[in-house]
Amino acid sequence: MNENLHRFLAIYQTLATTLVTAVLALFVGYREWGIDAATARGGVVGLLVLTTVVAAFTATLIVVGALTWLDYRHEECDLTDEMVAPDFRKRPRTRNLLRWYETYVLVFIVVSVLLMWLLAMLFLLPAMR
């Protein structure tokens, strides 16, 4: 799971950085390139939507990976209950969610997307007139 999480996070960081760089390039250069402000605003929104889709896909992969790991651990506990002794291994508890670093990766992804949208709505889009 750890290897997959790092892979998913690297994909998100790479794509989000690339897309946000495109947003900023569009914001800085739309006048020089002769693009209408309304079209440039639409491009900014479109790129942010694409960034949000990438974030949602990455978050989905992380959640599915965590659920798969939980299922695997429950099966492992069932097997050790049968083969070794009852309660040989403790079952995973979802209340330990705050100790899983996957939780903080998901929080990072959600906060970064919300911050991108907030900054775009407050500063970029109003400045594109």
Side-chain angles (χ1 to χ4, degrees), residues 63-75:
V63 168
V64 167
L67 292 174
T68 301
W69 177 82
L70 280 170
D71 188 46
Y72 166 79
R73 282 283 287 122
H74 282 293
E75 287 179 9

Side-chain angles (χ1 to χ4, degrees), residues 27-80:
F27 172 72
V28 170
Y30 78 95
R31 286 187 187 113
E32 186 177 307
W33 300 333
I35 299 173
D36 182 53
T39 304
R41 282 192 304 273
V44 166
V45 170
L47 287 166
L48 287 175
V49 166
L50 191 54
T51 305
T52 304
V53 168
V54 169
F57 179 70
T58 305
T60 301
L61 290 175
I62 292 169
V63 168
V64 167
L67 292 174
T68 301
W69 177 82
L70 280 170
D71 188 46
Y72 166 79
R73 282 283 287 122
H74 282 293
E75 287 179 9
E76 180 184 39
C77 290
D78 290 342
L79 284 173
T80 57

Side-chain angles (χ1 to χ4, degrees), residues 3 13-14 25 36 61 71 77-78 80 91 93 109 112 118 122 127:
E3 185 178 324
Q13 286 176 316
T14 303
D36 182 53
L61 290 175
D71 188 46
C77 290
D78 290 342
T80 57
R91 294 186 180 275
R93 291 176 276 187
I109 289 171
S112 67
L118 182 67
L122 291 177

Side-chain angles (χ1 to χ4, degrees), residues 97-117:
L97 196 66
L98 293 177
R99 294 192 325 202
W100 299 353
Y101 63 91
E102 291 86 358
T103 303
Y104 298 100
V105 171
L106 285 174
V107 168
F108 166 76
I109 289 171
V110 169
V111 168
S112 67
V113 168
L114 291 175
L115 188 61
M116 283 182 241
W117 277 102

